[in-house]
Amino acid sequence: MVKKVVIANRGEIAVRIIRSCREMGIVSVALFSDADRMSKHVMLADEAYYIGPAPSSESYLKIDKIIETALACGADAVHPGYGFLSENTEFARKCEAAGITFIGPRAETIERMGDKISARRSMIEAGVPVVPGIERKLESVEEAARVCREIGFPVILKAASGGGGKGMRLIRCESDVEEAYTTARSEALSSFGDETVYIEKYIEEPHHIEFQILGDKYGNVIHLYDRECSIQRRHQKVVEESPSPFITPELRQKMGQTAVAAAKAVDYVGAGTIEFLVDKDYNYYFLEMNTRLQVEHPVTEEVLGLDLVKEQIYIASGEPLHLKQSDIVQRRHSIECRVCAEDADNNFMPSPGLINQVTEPNGLGVRVDSYVYEGYEIPIYYDPMVAKLIVWATTREYAIERMRAALDEYKITGIKTNISYLNAIMHTPDFVRGGYDTAFLEKNDEIISRYRKENQPGDTDEGLVEDMTMIAALVNWVMLEEGTIGTPIPQPTGTLNRWREFGKRKGMTGI
Ligand code: ADP
């Protein structure tokens, strides 16, 4: 069993991994950049080491520095989380070469599945249905135009090394080919250092439905069922749920078996995700494989009552899977909302900065995977996601009700967040009905805006209201202290500190 794990990441996922390590009696080691000295993962870990300046290219992506730190502190494993180096073949190889266990699949698997063209080839060989398209690199605009005609418009041009929805262009007619080809290639080069692009048929209004799988070092593979991830903005997931409200029980079983076959075809070891697109007629196609933990993994955990990080650590330590396929039963419904420091009224511009107040929701079936706290300054350098709000309930209907209530309770002031936008999604009739597709946010834009206007004050107003409440609470407390009203009631120190801090920030003296 691994004994000491370096977490080569930051934010909520670093906190998430540290928590599982602690439960397992494994020593956790945080790494931090200049911008993260005050981050929660640094405070929570058993040990923490500085690795460089704020830009991730100078810290969280510095392979040699991270390995050097892991060796120096005597760690025997590295958990890469998601993003950063989690799908970097060189990192996985160098960890193994240094005698450090990389908590993830083998480097060859990352390489094979990380390139979307070679992943498509592997899946076709394994008999897995893939989105119609080509399995080679496009060499010229002329070739792109020819392939588009062969496949038939609309098509989608994609970067072979793509991720995060970047390097993708929808082409609806021949006159769009040249511009799409040029811009997709340059975006791919600047984002991934690889300008290789290829073409797939564009599936109209598809559902993004993915299957979580687990494979051990002895060839055993199981799937942990599905996650519906069709609520997307610019091809990036915003809300996820499990089970999918769209697929039938029969299709679910069939897709699960395909996911296992896909993972077995590449001798998959660890936790991974097979992403599918499902069309209106319930045909499903392999989209890509993510060879790491997903942002949305908690919905699977909540439905099944499992800890995926623990499973990853057991597998990496060489243990055989302790669960059989027949042990995996979807007992509950779970929804996740990605809470981001973004201005929903201003094209979702990132809104980093100082957090004045955080009130996280709580109660039965409510989980917050977060890393921010009052007085914390969100750095400008990294992803704007500050927390994931996850709920579970016995039915989808109850899960939606619980999510609405939890979002109502969630208050973050000082920065702009998308909380009211997420709440509007939860009240949109198409979402409540289920069966929505990846065009949901576009189709419901007006309904969402109207709902927000009618039911939720803007973030600025909300901030003001929070401030007013805090001032009233502070005045009340000062009066209690002075004996102006009643007898002082002993207050929890945390609360007093918060008021004092608040008062100081607002320039109040004598507190
Ligand atoms: P990335 O790796 O950048 O996340 P994916 O290949 O996973 O890219 O696709 C992300 C999203 O883009 C999908 O969930 C879907 O909404 C859309 N998409 C990708 N390929 C297609 C396609 N062939 N047809 C329709 N939509 C697609």
Side-chain angles (χ1 to χ4, degrees), residues 147-361:
V147 173
C148 289
R149 282 194 298 272
E150 277 163 24
I151 298 175
F153 293 100
V155 301
I156 191 162
L157 199 69
K158 293 171 89 167
S161 308
K166 287 205 192 97
M168 231 184 282
R169 288 289 180 286
L170 171 61
I171 310 181
R172 288 212 175 261
C173 59
E174 183 132 8
S175 57
D176 294 346
V177 176
E178 187 165 350
E179 206 212 317
Y181 180 78
T182 319
T183 53
R185 267 165 62 100
S186 69
E187 193 173 306
L189 185 65
S190 63
S191 306
F192 315 111
D194 171 14
E195 58 185 359
T196 308
V197 291
Y198 71 103
I199 288 177
E200 274 177 16
K201 177 81 187 156
Y202 181 71
I203 312 283
E204 298 275 6
E205 303 181 352
H207 300 256
H208 175 122
I209 297 170
E210 58 188 34
F211 276 69
Q212 176 72 53
I213 60 105
L214 286 180
D216 66 16
K217 293 185 176 170
Y218 314 100
N220 305 304
V221 178
I222 58 170
H223 70 81
L224 303 181
Y225 285 104
D226 54 303
R227 291 187 287 256
E228 169 72 65
C229 307
S230 297
I231 307 280
Q232 299 182 355
R233 207 184 143 265
R234 297 200 176 147
H235 306 305
Q236 293 231 56
K237 300 160 189 166
V238 178
V239 172
E240 303 94 346
E241 63 177 312
S242 180
S244 160
F246 179 67
I247 55 176
T248 59
E250 298 73 37
L251 184 59
R252 176 170 289 116
Q253 293 306 329
K254 203 166 150 209
M255 289 175 74
Q257 285 160 12
T258 306
V260 168
K264 280 193 170 163
V266 294
D267 300 322
Y268 197 82
V269 176
T273 298
I274 309 282
E275 296 187 337
F276 294 106
L277 287 184
V278 183
D279 70 16
K280 299 193 229 348
D281 303 319
Y282 297 92
N283 298 305
Y284 66 94
Y285 308 96
F286 169 83
L287 182 65
E288 68 162 344
M289 179 170 199
N290 287 319
T291 55
R292 54 168 167 82
L293 199 63
Q294 300 273 92
V295 174
E296 59 274 20
H297 77 276
V299 292
T300 300
E301 296 185 322
E302 297 302 322
V303 168
L304 304 178
L306 278 176
D307 180 330
L308 282 172
V309 173
K310 278 190 186 172
E311 298 302 328
Q312 286 187 299
I313 294 175
Y314 286 133
I315 292 168
S317 303
E319 292 202 9
L321 291 184
H322 61 273
L323 292 159
K324 296 187 298 296
Q325 190 63 59
S326 54
D327 297 331
I328 310 299
V329 181
Q330 290 180 301
R331 290 188 201 282
R332 310 195 286 212
H333 196 95
S334 178
I335 306 175
E336 173 183 278
C337 283
R338 298 190 186 195
V339 177
C340 297
E342 285 174 348
D343 184 354
D345 295 318
N346 194 5
N347 205 20
F348 293 87
M349 281 268 285
S351 172
L354 187 68
I355 296 190
N356 268 348
Q357 188 199 0
V358 184
T359 308
E360 287 180 349

Side-chain angles (χ1 to χ4, degrees), residues 44-172:
L44 273 188
D46 296 312
E47 294 173 23
Y49 299 96
Y50 171 73
I51 50 161
S56 41
S57 58
E58 295 174 48
S59 47
Y60 297 106
L61 293 172
K62 277 270 179 211
I63 294 178
D64 292 337
K65 180 75 190 167
I66 293 172
I67 293 178
E68 186 188 300
T69 310
L71 288 172
C73 75
D76 52 5
V78 169
H79 195 306
Y82 54 70
F84 294 130
L85 297 171
S86 60
E87 290 176 293
N88 185 303
T89 324
E90 185 192 344
F91 183 55
R93 280 213 174 94
K94 285 192 167 169
C95 284
E96 296 300 337
I100 298 167
T101 302
F102 176 79
I103 302 177
R106 286 187 306 268
E108 307 87 78
T109 318
I110 301 177
E111 194 154 45
R112 197 162 156 195
M113 301 313 273
D115 179 303
K116 293 188 182 186
I117 297 179
S118 79
R120 282 170 64 82
R121 279 197 208 117
S122 299
M123 291 302 107
I124 291 168
E125 270 169 35
V128 172
V130 302
V131 181
I134 56 168
E135 288 75 55
R136 62 173 197 277
K137 171 184 180 178
L138 285 175
E139 301 289 354
S140 65
V141 188
E142 292 72 34
E143 190 191 357
R146 200 175 55 244
V147 173
C148 289
R149 282 194 298 272
E150 277 163 24
I151 298 175
F153 293 100
V155 301
I156 191 162
L157 199 69
K158 293 171 89 167
S161 308
K166 287 205 192 97
M168 231 184 282
R169 288 289 180 286
L170 171 61
I171 310 181
R172 288 212 175 261

